[in-house]
């Protein structure tokens, strides 16, 4: 049976520099290549990877804020890629995004109430009084006072603004939230509060999340499964406990190096963080794109691209020489201690 959200063979390419008289292209950015994964109702999929790995583009392509070059995104069996803008409208209600910097996505001259009611107004949902009541109730659920309805986003802290942004995203009663680095830039204590709020809301509203972050600890706390992206491709995907406890791709193992030992739990294979810059997505390396930085690379790696293959239940890796499993994968339970310590 197909998953509720089904991403199949998704490719996104951007053409560079089609300006000037001759409108010549100066290259193509391979932002995403051959992405496959599924997500069920109430589930969280974490997307991790360095800056430029394509994780934000993937979130936007799922919401059709970016047009895929190839492949399909299906929601409840409906191919969203084939819909007109008008046909997309009911699906836009079902899928919302929370951005890293809520201030950037808010009109500073609108009151908090107007900001939360805006998606309802644009979608023509409810009467003015109903919208106002819904916005005020959402604010209260986010732990903010109803009086915030008449204030401006500039009067609030970063963490409070992120809660306002979550309230706005929830106003249309969506089923799927794409959370793009929602806790970046917040202090540890506020990160913990936002993560706990997101977890509670998911339980209350049966929400599905795509959680994008470079913070593997935060992703491990919220996600049941994690996909690791490198230069626009998924290089490893696994249940969270398996990925943290027994990473099979050398790139994933190098990300473990940045993870505090108490989250990593000592047993997992980990390699030093990769040296050098991530290669250009305009000219991705031949074969395995990670071979220019991989401490385990062999001659075969530069010639032949490894495809994703299963190494255990629900665990796929794209590597010719995956790391051997070391010990039993732990199941992350509570909040990582370094968040819990911050409150
Ligand atoms: Fe490293 Fe080779 Fe595996 Fe790529 S295929 S991750 S270069 S060992």
């Amino acid at each position: 049976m197909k998953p509720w959200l089904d991403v199949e063979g998704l490719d996104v390419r951007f053409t560079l520099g089609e300006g000037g008289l001759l409108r010549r292209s100066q290259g193509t950015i391979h932002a995403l290549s051959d992405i496959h994964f599924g997500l069920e109702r109430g589930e969280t999929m974490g997307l991790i990877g360095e800056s430029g790995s394509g994780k934000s583009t993937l979130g936007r392509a799922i919401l059709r804020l970016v047009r895929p070059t190839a492949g399909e995104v299906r929601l409840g069996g409906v191919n969203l890629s084939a819909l007109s803008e008008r046909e997309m409208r009911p699906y836009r209600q079902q899928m919302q995004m929370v951005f890293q910097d809520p201030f950037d996505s808010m009109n500073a001259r609108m009151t908090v109430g107007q900001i939360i009611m805006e998606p309802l107004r644009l979608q023509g949902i409810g009467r003015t009084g109903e919208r106002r009541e819904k916005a005020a109730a959402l604010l209260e659920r986010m732990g903010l006072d109803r009086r915030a309805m008449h204030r401006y986003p500039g009067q609030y802290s970063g963490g409070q603004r992120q809660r306002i942004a979550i309230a706005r995203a929830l106003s249309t009663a969506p089923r799927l939230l794409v959370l793009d680095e929602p806790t970046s830039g917040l202090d540890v204590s506020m990160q913990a509060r936002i993560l706990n709020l997101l977890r509670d809301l998911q339980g209350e509203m049966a929400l599905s999340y795509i959680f994008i972050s470079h913070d593997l600890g935060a992703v491990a706390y919220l996600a049941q499964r994690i996909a690791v992206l490198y230069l626009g491709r998924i290089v490893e995907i696994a249940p969270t406990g398996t990925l943290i406890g027994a990473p099979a791709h050398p790139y994933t193992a190098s990300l473990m190096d940045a993870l505090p030992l108490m989250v990593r739990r000592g047993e997992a294979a980990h390699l030093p963080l990769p040296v050098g810059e991530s290669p250009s997505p305009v000219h991705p390396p031949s074969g395995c794109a990670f071979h220019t930085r991989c401490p385990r690379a062999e001659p075969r790696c530069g010639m032949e691209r490894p495809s994703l293959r299963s190494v255990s239940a629900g665990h796929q890796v794209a590597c010719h020489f995956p790391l051997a499993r070391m010990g039993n994968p732990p199941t992350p339970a509570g909040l990582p201690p370094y968040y819990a310590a911050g409150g």
Side-chain angles (χ1 to χ4, degrees), residues 237-258:
I237 184 165
T240 299
T242 305
L243 192 109
I244 300 290
H249 196 282
Y251 177 60
T252 312
S254 73
L255 298 179
M256 297 295 150
D257 205 44

Side-chain angles (χ1 to χ4, degrees), residues 235 248-251 287-298 300-302 304-306 317-322:
V235 295
H249 196 282
Y251 177 60
C288 170
F290 190 52
H291 85 265
T292 53
R293 303 167 81 197
C294 179
R296 291 167 58 89
E298 301 273 344
R300 178 185 173 194
C301 303
E304 192 185 325
R305 184 185 318 122
V317 62
C319 176
H320 296 308
F321 309 105

Side-chain angles (χ1 to χ4, degrees), residues 6-64:
D6 187 19
V7 178
E8 266 201 20
L10 200 69
D11 276 23
V12 174
R13 303 267 184 277
F14 299 117
T15 306
L16 283 175
E18 275 189 309
L21 276 178
L22 298 176
R23 293 195 165 272
R24 262 196 206 130
S25 159
Q26 290 168 17
T28 302
I29 296 178
H30 301 250
L32 291 174
S33 300
D34 201 24
I35 301 288
H36 292 258
F37 74 90
L39 182 76
E40 297 296 349
R41 295 290 307 274
E43 190 189 12
T44 299
M45 170 69 81
L47 302 180
I48 62 162
E50 291 168 298
S51 165
S53 60
K55 53 193 192 306
S56 292
T57 305
L58 177 52
R60 285 171 165 77
I62 288 167
L63 300 187
R64 229 185 69 175

Side-chain angles (χ1 to χ4, degrees), residues 168-185:
R168 176 178 58 183
L170 292 176
S171 65
T172 61
R175 294 173 174 185
L176 171 69
L177 286 191
V178 174
L179 306 157
D180 191 356
E181 303 271 10
T183 56
S184 293

